[in-house]
């Protein structure tokens, strides 16, 4: 693997974007905590705070899945070096739509969630394909 | 490090298995959410939902520990290239037993938890050993 | 990247320290669970347990941000190989102070939180700088 190839660098940039987005979701929770006066360690008490907190937690839950897959797909899928990064960018956009939807109304979280889930599934398939090719 | 060596590929396969298992625990929560009618953003209200949710959260908590150790042990412990992957496979089996036990009765989570914890401890020791050998 | 260079090994050691600290926060929760008699799957019921649980969750939330940044900064920032590891060590110390403060009184979590956040920000800047240098 070329750590300095443009494909790998694109994946690194997308990883940074995903981390900055995740930071934004936790910053939003901290703001909601002071705005709706939820004293730590409580994480309940106001539906708007709870929605912001669920967005952060769900982004965390997905990030733990997303980052290793982005990393593995970048390492093992070499046919199109930019493809893992492109799917990663789709993931970030999907999670942003998920956040925007959820904060207005939990029922509106589905579209963004689905987009990010499809990008993750594609990264999983690239990883499996890449490992299978490397093995043989 | 040879990214295409069979030991490294085995570790990558186990990482994918761990991620797929983690996905399964969160899918199970989504199912429990609709089955027991827990409206988001709530995460309480039915003991069966709460158990499923705790299984996911605990798997997340452990995964954040497990994946970096699997990665570090694979990079730095080179005496037996397949050993980190084998310990990783034990971890996945242990977490599966943990989930099956917890969902029946929280008291039955101990055996699976212990198996996974021992596998993690072994990965930690391999990592420390590998770093110490690489340093000198 | 030289996986066996001393800078890279220092980062690996700091990653292990961060993981061991995170393990300590979850071990502390398990202790608090039995001490204050919080039956799983509950995560509420005693303020001391809730504080310990929040420390673990917050450490998890930050760790997911910290470890990838430590890894990316170590890979792409090459001017001073020991600097990512040094910032990582500051992060571990900050999180320890955060934990000690929070357990006494949630209001006393700010200093440690801030130290760790600054170390993370510095790692983020090193990563962006390193990627920009590698691209050109």
């Amino acid at each position: 693997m070329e750590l300095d190839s443009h494909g790998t660098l694109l994946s690194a940039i997308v990883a940074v974007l995903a981390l900055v987005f995740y930071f934004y979701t936790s910053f939003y929770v901290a703001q909601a905590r002071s705005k709706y006066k939820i004293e730590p360690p409580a994480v309940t008490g106001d539906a708007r705070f709870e929605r912001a907190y669920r967005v952060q937690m769900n982004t965390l839950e997905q990030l733990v899945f997303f980052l290793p897959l982005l990393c593995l797909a970048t390492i093992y899928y070499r046919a199109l070096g930019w493809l893992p990064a492109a799917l990663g960018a789709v993931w970030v956009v999907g999670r942003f739509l998920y956040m925007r939807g959820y904060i207005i109304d939990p029922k509106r979280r589905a579209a963004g969630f689905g987009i990010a889930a499809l990008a993750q599934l594609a990264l999983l398939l690239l990883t499996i394909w890449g490992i299978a090719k490397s093995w043989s």
Side-chain angles (χ1 to χ4, degrees), chain A residues 86-103:
Chain A
L87 290 167
V90 169
W91 185 88
V92 175
V93 171
R95 294 306 301 179
F96 181 76
L97 295 175
Y98 167 86
M99 181 183 192
R100 226 181 44 171
Y102 203 134
I103 281 165

Side-chain angles (χ1 to χ4, degrees), chain A residues 1-20:
Chain A
M1 187 178 57
E2 289 291 322
L3 284 166
D4 289 351
S5 75
H6 277 196
T8 308
L9 284 168
L10 282 173
S11 289
I13 291 167
V14 169
V16 169
L17 286 178
L19 289 169
V20 169

